[in-house]
Amino acid sequence: MRVWKFGDDIDTDAIIPGRFLTIYDPKELSRHAFEGTRNDFANEAKTGDIIVAGRNFGCGSSREHAPLALKGAGIGFVVAKSFARIFYRNAINTGVLPIVCPETDVIRDGDSISVNLKEGVITAGDKKLLIEPVPEFMQKIVDSGGLVNYAKEMEEVSVCTK
Amino acid sequence: MGKTVAEKIFSGKCGKEFRAGEVVMAPVDGAMIHDITGPLAINVFKEMGGKKVFDPKKIIMLFDHQIPADSIAAAENHVMMRNFAKEQDIFNYDLKEGVCHQVVPEKGRVKPGDIVVGSDSHTCAYGALGAFSTGIGSTDMAFVLKFGALYFRIPESIKVEVSGSFQRRVGPKDLILGLAGDIGADGATYKCLEFCGQTFAEMDMSGRMTCSNMAIEMGAKAGIVPPDRVTWEYLKNRCETEPFLLNADEDAVYFEKRSCNISSLEPKIAVPHNVDNVVDVSEVAGRKVDQVFIGSCTNGRYEDFKEAAEVLGNDKFSNDVRVIIVPASKDEYLKCLKGGLIELFVEAGALVEAPCCGPCMGGMFGLLAPGEVSLSTSNRNFRGRQGSTEAEVYLSSPATAAASAITGVITDPREV
């Protein structure tokens, strides 16, 4: 799968600029993904492509439009050295899997890589890179296909209260 | 073993002893949605099979990013939210009150010890009142609207102890920009910043809100100032609540402890295109600016405009600079109006707009052309944030912004 390589501190304004936040449809959002910062992405990204980045991917806004725009472009995984907190949760909730991998430096733009979640490795050429497991409580949400599915059948949640 | 403020809030709310690192389904005391992220949250709430929200009284709805509607799509979103509010019996401040992070505390909708979420990253601002408050996405918000609770990973805390008094024309914004520069844009990811020390004890609520607001710019989940006399003074006419102390224990365990003295702190500025690219104003003094924006949830309060007005004095703003002033709420606007500040700014050549987010997000007005430079008191200078991706945004205090608006170039406010 083709890699779209990005650097450190890719913010949510870069992923989807503020002027497009009245849009909610992932497909339509994807037409403006990285507009102004990486214009080839919206035109050329294909289903199954993977975003690979450095530290702090998705910093900034809580706008869920950011992972939705990536989802609309067909991106299933974002691999980064680290993620900003809100983006990480939003990505899990919307079904774009954020994968933490400390060794993204060895992956280049345009590379072809494969992600094996079961084995916890990314194969990039002849290299095998270890990825960190998704936290347990997040895995439950991922397994049910996102937070919407997880919550759909539930009438109530069990909350600790005084 | 003692507890941090964040650990105390979660343990108190959940009736069980919790430590940092543990994941808990915790009840929320307040949930805020606005016109940008609210419609998506409502749509997902319905997709989740949501019929009735958990408690309409705990939901805070208002419009601040695109008001009055600047497009048909924005107007449609407003209508959709208004209809949802009526159907669910949620009180909607609509577009009449101002920016979410100013209005929520102002209306007494958050108190010390509360757990509050908002579908906006700067929801961490309410930490200024001693609450654990944090920004979440729309799907998490939909879950909250349905169940009144959310999964939280209780964060480790970074204790930030600040001592000393500010020099003239140096203030809380310079302090928090300096901290962002030191800690870095991801230095506090998933952590809670716990602000304490003499400087915070002496700081007014406006300054505390400025600091807590920007905790997210270091990646933090929350930025809390433990409640004290200033907090209870602020809240006494806004909501019914009994004062209590909520300090960390002496032997609380921290991820990290930082301390600094601000007695010789210089005015700071974040240079393009990251919030942690922070330098002393003197290092970039003389750089031409095309637009100055004073406002936003970070610095749109009366105290901020008063500081700017003091720097302005009898001067005028430069003819070559577009100065945009936007008070953060109706109350702050009226305070400025009655205090003569609005007249002063208009006479000096500024545009004064009704309370809203303004140019901060680049959503509705005040956009920049390629090659233009903006100096802004808001919280983000990301590339393209205020218009063209070929424009530049600098972040500063209201004093530095006012000084630069007078001269037309970035200017140290102590020199005006």
Side-chain angles (χ1 to χ4, degrees):
Chain A
M1 299 298 182
R2 186 216 198 275
V3 164
W4 292 85
K5 184 72 192 286
F6 291 86
D8 293 338
D9 299 319
I10 299 301
D11 60 71
T12 46
D13 280 74
I15 301 170
I16 186 77
R19 60 188 178 279
F20 301 119
L21 300 186
T22 48
I23 304 170
Y24 302 109
D25 176 53
K27 202 78 212 161
E28 210 182 319
L29 278 169
S30 74
R31 292 192 191 107
H32 305 286
F34 296 108
E35 190 166 310
T37 54
R38 183 136 190 209
N39 293 329
D40 54 339
F41 181 86
N43 291 329
E44 295 171 26
K46 293 195 170 50
T47 300
D49 283 358
I50 295 172
I51 285 178
V52 178
R55 284 168 41 202
N56 203 26
F57 187 88
C59 59
S61 164
S62 67
R63 61 186 71 163
E64 206 160 281
H65 310 66
L68 284 180
L70 302 183
K71 186 180 182 177
I75 300 290
F77 302 110
V78 180
V79 182
K81 288 185 193 169
S82 63
F83 289 90
R85 179 185 60 81
I86 306 176
F87 180 89
Y88 185 85
R89 275 185 78 134
N90 287 349
I92 292 212
N93 288 345
T94 52
V96 175
L97 201 59
I99 295 175
V100 179
C101 172
E103 295 181 278
T104 60
D105 285 344
V106 303
I107 305 173
R108 311 252 166 255
D109 191 59
D111 278 0
S112 186
I113 65 169
S114 65
V115 179
N116 187 328
L117 289 179
K118 241 186 202 139
E119 290 175 21
V121 291
I122 291 172
T123 310
D126 55 359
K127 296 180 210 80
K128 291 220 182 281
L129 314 174
L130 290 181
I131 58 183
E132 288 179 11
V134 175
E136 198 183 334
F137 85 102
M138 289 277 184
Q139 191 62 51
K140 280 192 288 186
I141 295 166
V142 175
D143 291 344
S144 28
L147 192 65
V148 172
N149 288 341
Y150 178 80
K152 209 176 250 174
E153 305 306 325
M154 292 160 68
E155 286 302 318
E156 57 183 44
V157 292
S158 127
V159 180
C160 306
T161 47
K162 270 194 252 192
Chain B
M1 197 165 62
K3 287 201 182 74
T4 63
V5 175
E7 287 170 329
K8 282 193 178 180
I9 292 176
F10 279 98
S11 299
K13 281 288 163 204
C14 299
K16 196 178 156 203
E17 298 307 303
F18 280 108
R19 293 278 168 200
E22 290 184 277
V23 176
V24 58
M25 178 72 83
V28 304
D29 299 288
M32 185 279 297
I33 53 174
H34 59 49
D35 52 330
I36 289 285
T37 54
L40 191 50
I42 292 166
N43 283 340
V44 180
F45 168 77
K46 289 177 178 163
E47 267 182 67
M48 274 180 187
K51 299 276 185 298
K52 275 302 213 184
V53 294
F54 75 106
D55 182 352
K57 289 195 171 53
K58 289 184 177 171
I59 296 166
I60 306 148
M61 182 191 286
L62 51 77
F63 309 158
D64 56 5
H65 280 65
Q66 290 167 304
I67 61 158
D70 62 338
S71 66
I72 295 169
E76 284 176 338
N77 284 339
H78 293 176
V79 168
M80 181 265 214
M81 289 187 72
R82 285 184 188 118
N83 289 343
F84 185 74
K86 278 195 186 128
E87 163 200 319
Q88 297 283 338
D89 207 20
I90 297 166
F91 183 80
N92 177 14
Y93 293 103
D94 210 294
L95 47 66
K96 295 179 182 172
E97 293 293 340
V99 184
C100 53
H101 306 313
Q102 181 58 31
V103 173
V104 172
E106 202 171 88
K107 299 292 179 192
R109 303 292 297 264
V110 57
K111 346 181 261 307
D114 278 357
I115 296 176
V116 183
V117 292
S119 54
D120 187 287
S121 59
H122 292 104
T123 303
C124 49
Y126 322 149
L129 287 101
F132 187 94
S133 74
T134 194
I136 60 174
S138 295
T139 299
D140 272 342
M141 180 55 80
F143 190 92
V144 172
L145 295 179
K146 187 172 177 187
F147 300 113
L150 188 64
Y151 278 119
F152 293 87
R153 180 185 177 281
I154 300 167
E156 290 84 9
S157 293
I158 298 176
K159 184 176 183 174
V160 180
E161 188 163 15
V162 185
S163 58
S165 303
F166 291 109
Q167 290 181 58
R168 177 178 161 267
R169 290 187 180 164
V170 181
K173 183 62 169 294
D174 300 297
L175 163 62
I176 199 69
L177 283 174
L179 271 173
D182 289 345
I183 293 177
D186 63 348
T189 299
Y190 243 114
K191 306 290 186 294
C192 172
L193 297 177
E194 198 179 284
F195 297 117
C196 59
Q198 173 214 346
T199 310
F200 276 96
E202 291 171 0
M203 199 183 287
D204 62 14
M205 189 48 74
S206 175
R208 294 178 185 192
M209 286 182 184
T210 301
C211 292
S212 291
N213 179 285
M214 290 192 69
I216 181 72
E217 306 313 331
M218 289 154 261
K221 187 170 188 170
I224 302 181
V225 183
D228 61 5
R229 183 186 49 80
V230 175
T231 324
W232 298 111
E233 203 53 41
Y234 179 85
L235 283 173
K236 73 177 177 195
N237 295 321
R238 301 177 194 272
C239 62
E240 282 177 23
T241 175
E242 288 299 314
F244 61 91
L245 287 175
L246 186 62
N247 287 312
D249 293 322
E250 289 275 323
D251 56 345
V253 178
Y254 289 92
F255 174 78
E256 190 188 344
K257 288 184 188 176
R258 306 178 78 99
S259 59
C260 62
N261 187 301
I262 45 118
S263 300
S264 56
L265 185 77
E266 301 271 316
K268 298 284 182 187
I269 194 161
V271 305
H273 296 283
N274 288 308
V275 186
D276 59 349
N277 283 345
V278 177
V279 298
D280 289 343
V281 168
S282 54
E283 282 185 45
V284 286
R287 203 158 292 181
K288 189 181 175 308
V289 295
D290 301 290
Q291 179 169 299
V292 168
F293 165 46
I294 308 180
S296 86
C297 54
T298 322
N299 284 113
R301 284 170 282 279
Y302 173 77
E303 289 80 355
D304 300 308
F305 296 113
K306 190 159 172 286
E307 177 85 14
E310 278 169 19
V311 173
L312 178 64
N314 295 321
D315 273 335
K316 299 279 178 227
F317 293 126
S318 164
N319 258 337
D320 295 328
V321 181
R322 308 180 297 272
V323 181
I324 303 173
I325 304 262
V326 191
S329 71
K330 183 172 86 180
D331 282 9
E332 297 301 310
Y333 191 114
L334 286 170
K335 269 191 259 176
C336 293
L337 195 65
K338 289 172 185 164
L341 304 186
I342 300 293
E343 189 177 345
L344 184 82
F345 293 139
V346 172
E347 287 284 356
L351 296 177
V352 179
E353 302 285 344
C356 67
C357 297
C360 176
M361 191 201 67
M364 51 194 289
F365 62 81
L367 301 184
L368 304 172
E372 285 199 311
V373 173
S374 159
L375 176 56
S376 171
T377 65
S378 56
N379 38 39
R380 286 194 176 131
N381 59 348
F382 299 154
R383 187 187 289 279
R385 176 89 176 167
Q386 291 183 12
S388 169
T389 49
E390 292 163 56
E392 294 189 327
V393 181
Y394 289 73
L395 305 176
S396 80
S397 71
T400 300
S404 308
I406 297 165
T407 60
V409 295
I410 291 173
T411 301
D412 189 322
R414 297 168 301 181
E415 290 168 8
V416 174

